[in-house]
Amino acid sequence: MSDLTLRAKELDAADALAPVRSRFVLDDVVYLDGNSLGALPAHVPDRIADVVRREWGELRIRSWEESGWWTAPERIGDRIAPLVGAAPGQVVVGDSTSVNVFKAVVAAARMAGEERTEILVDAGTFPTDGYIAESAARLTGRTLRAVTPAEVPDALGPRTAAVLLNHVDYRTGRLHDLPALTAAIHAAGALAVWDLCHSAGALPVGLDAHGVDLAVGCTYKYLNGGPGSPAFLYVRRALQARFDSPLPGWNSHAEPFGMKPSYDPAPGAVRGRVGTPDILSMLSLEAALDVWEGVGVDAVRAKSLALTDFFLACVARYAGDRVESVTPTAHGERGSQVSLRCENAGDVMKRLIQAGVVGDFRPPDVLRFGFTPLYTSFAEAERAARVLGAVLG
């Protein structure tokens, strides 16, 4: 055994989160793509079988009340809330991330006031966020300006209505300074909207502590909710009475079964709902969140940093200068992934997958490796780097 292999064994033996791994369906593959799709929690299939056979098959329509289907969006939202640093009553689950970004940006622009005529968006954002922000700007009569997160403080002004930022850059894994940027946005009189897709379930967020106005996130990455599982929307309590959703649906009406022709929004985060919830995906997510029992986000963050530190050290040993890390080394600037640049990255990733190491590729030359501390081991980090070195020749 190499010294790195032995070190991995020592780290795994001392890992307080190691027992959580047994809560997932895993195999001999080194799975480092949880930043795209989390692994399956082992108990979810039985839960969904019960939902389909008993709640749908036997109770049928009665399950909206007797099985708690109707209240699922808020109930599950309250389970996600502590994972992103929010008190109950501020997170609602439903729709996709894209739809929730649209709700949040349009609502933020409306709350900011007509005199504020510009929306800022992260220049390196996931493309859909940019598309949605552009559409929201057109619909609200604002202009849209793309800036990097570092440029935000200087770009803010009396015309700024809202700023849409990514907490973690999806390409590089760079963690942006949510507290400082939110404070700067508020000092300019604008509203902060954060996309938490690559941070929720991977690191502390502190939505309440830092006064974030609105936030969205997906649940199929570090929250392991399953492919296409519904996203979440956070609306700070102080803003809920003013939250004016651009998608008013019957599910967010104060009297949803009143069938009134005029819209009267429900109080609280419920007004973030739109139409009938996707119950099968939603209850799969609810079951998946059981893996967090007894697990704190601070412990997850500590292991994440240890895993990515160790992986980078292993990559330096096994791959040397054949790859270049584009992920920051500073802990305060790193999410829970490592992105490496190399030649022919697309082909390299295909060969890695054939060799039993699953990450993903982002054009033109980036290999992404996502580390989910709930189930990723240090031995897997060492093996992945060793296989990468072999693939690179």
Side-chain angles (χ1 to χ4, degrees):
M1 288 188 182
S2 72
D3 60 322
L4 289 176
T5 305
L6 291 171
R7 180 57 180 155
K9 289 175 67 68
E10 293 171 354
L11 290 168
D12 281 329
D15 176 21
L17 292 180
V20 180
R21 179 179 170 87
S22 65
R23 301 177 187 178
F24 292 87
V25 176
L26 297 165
D27 49 30
D28 291 335
V29 169
V30 177
Y31 187 66
L32 299 180
D33 210 3
N35 55 328
S36 285
L37 177 64
L40 172 66
H43 66 287
V44 167
D46 286 344
R47 170 61 181 137
I48 293 307
D50 181 64
V51 170
V52 171
R53 292 172 181 159
R54 184 179 60 84
E55 295 185 6
W56 179 14
E58 298 175 15
L59 296 178
R60 293 180 287 272
I61 197 70
R62 292 160 52 195
S63 275
W64 284 104
E65 180 178 352
E66 295 180 25
S67 301
W69 289 2
W70 184 261
T71 57
E74 297 81 57
R75 183 178 70 246
I76 303 170
D78 282 346
R79 293 191 64 183
I80 292 173
L83 302 180
V84 292
Q90 299 175 102
V91 178
V92 64
V93 172
D95 306 310
S96 67
T97 305
S98 301
V99 171
N100 284 322
V101 168
F102 179 72
K103 296 176 201 173
V105 175
V106 171
R110 289 175 173 177
M111 288 188 283
E114 294 184 2
E115 70 280 3
R116 292 184 171 268
T117 58
E118 184 177 68
I119 295 172
L120 302 181
V121 65
D122 186 339
T125 190
F126 188 77
T128 293
D129 283 21
Y131 308 153
I132 295 292
E134 183 180 8
S135 178
R138 290 199 310 270
L139 290 169
T140 60
R142 267 75 173 185
T143 58
L144 182 70
R145 182 156 54 119
V147 296
T148 66
E151 294 169 334
V152 165
D154 291 333
L156 293 164
R159 294 179 55 239
T160 310
V163 184
L164 172 61
L165 294 169
N166 289 262
H167 196 192
V168 174
D169 185 283
Y170 79 99
R171 289 190 185 90
T172 67
R174 175 179 290 276
L175 172 65
H176 298 303
D177 193 340
L178 181 148
L181 288 169
T182 300
I185 293 165
H186 287 167
L191 282 82
V193 182
W194 285 92
D195 183 328
L196 308 178
C197 284
H198 288 268
S199 57
L203 53 93
V205 178
L207 292 178
D208 286 353
H210 303 304
V212 169
D213 300 300
L214 299 153
V216 303
C218 62
T219 62
Y220 45 79
K221 302 185 192 312
Y222 297 109
L223 296 179
N224 310 294
S229 57
F232 64 87
L233 170 68
Y234 165 87
V235 183
R236 181 159 58 92
R237 194 178 310 281
L239 295 178
Q240 289 177 359
R242 297 171 51 209
F243 180 79
D244 184 6
S245 174
L247 296 172
W250 76 286
N251 259 233
S252 61
H253 198 285
E255 297 181 58
F257 293 96
M259 304 302 170
K260 297 181 179 179
S262 59
Y263 180 70
D264 179 19
V270 176
R271 63 178 59 192
R273 294 174 62 158
V274 183
T276 304
D278 185 340
I279 291 299
L280 297 182
S281 289
M282 191 163 292
L283 297 186
S284 177
L285 166 62
E286 182 174 35
L289 292 171
D290 290 347
V291 300
W292 286 90
E293 183 178 351
V295 177
V297 178
D298 288 339
V300 167
R301 176 59 169 166
K303 182 178 176 182
S304 166
L305 292 173
L307 275 168
T308 48
D309 279 345
F310 182 64
F311 178 69
L312 285 167
C314 292
V315 168
R317 172 78 66 84
Y318 295 129
D321 59 5
R322 287 168 291 176
V323 295
E324 172 196 3
S325 176
V326 296
T327 300
T329 57
H331 285 184
E333 299 176 3
R334 188 195 311 163
S336 199
Q337 74 181 56
V338 172
S339 295
L340 304 174
R341 180 175 287 131
C342 71
E343 293 183 4
N344 303 314
D347 180 61
V348 169
M349 182 52 69
K350 289 179 182 178
R351 293 166 63 194
L352 281 171
I353 293 172
Q354 291 170 354
V357 175
V358 176
D360 63 22
F361 159 66
R362 287 293 177 267
D365 56 2
V366 172
L367 305 171
R368 292 196 321 168
F369 301 94
F371 291 82
T372 305
L374 296 181
Y375 55 76
T376 304
S377 70
F378 289 91
E380 289 177 315
E382 188 273 338
R383 176 182 161 195
R386 182 161 30 91
V387 172
L388 174 63
V391 165
L392 291 173

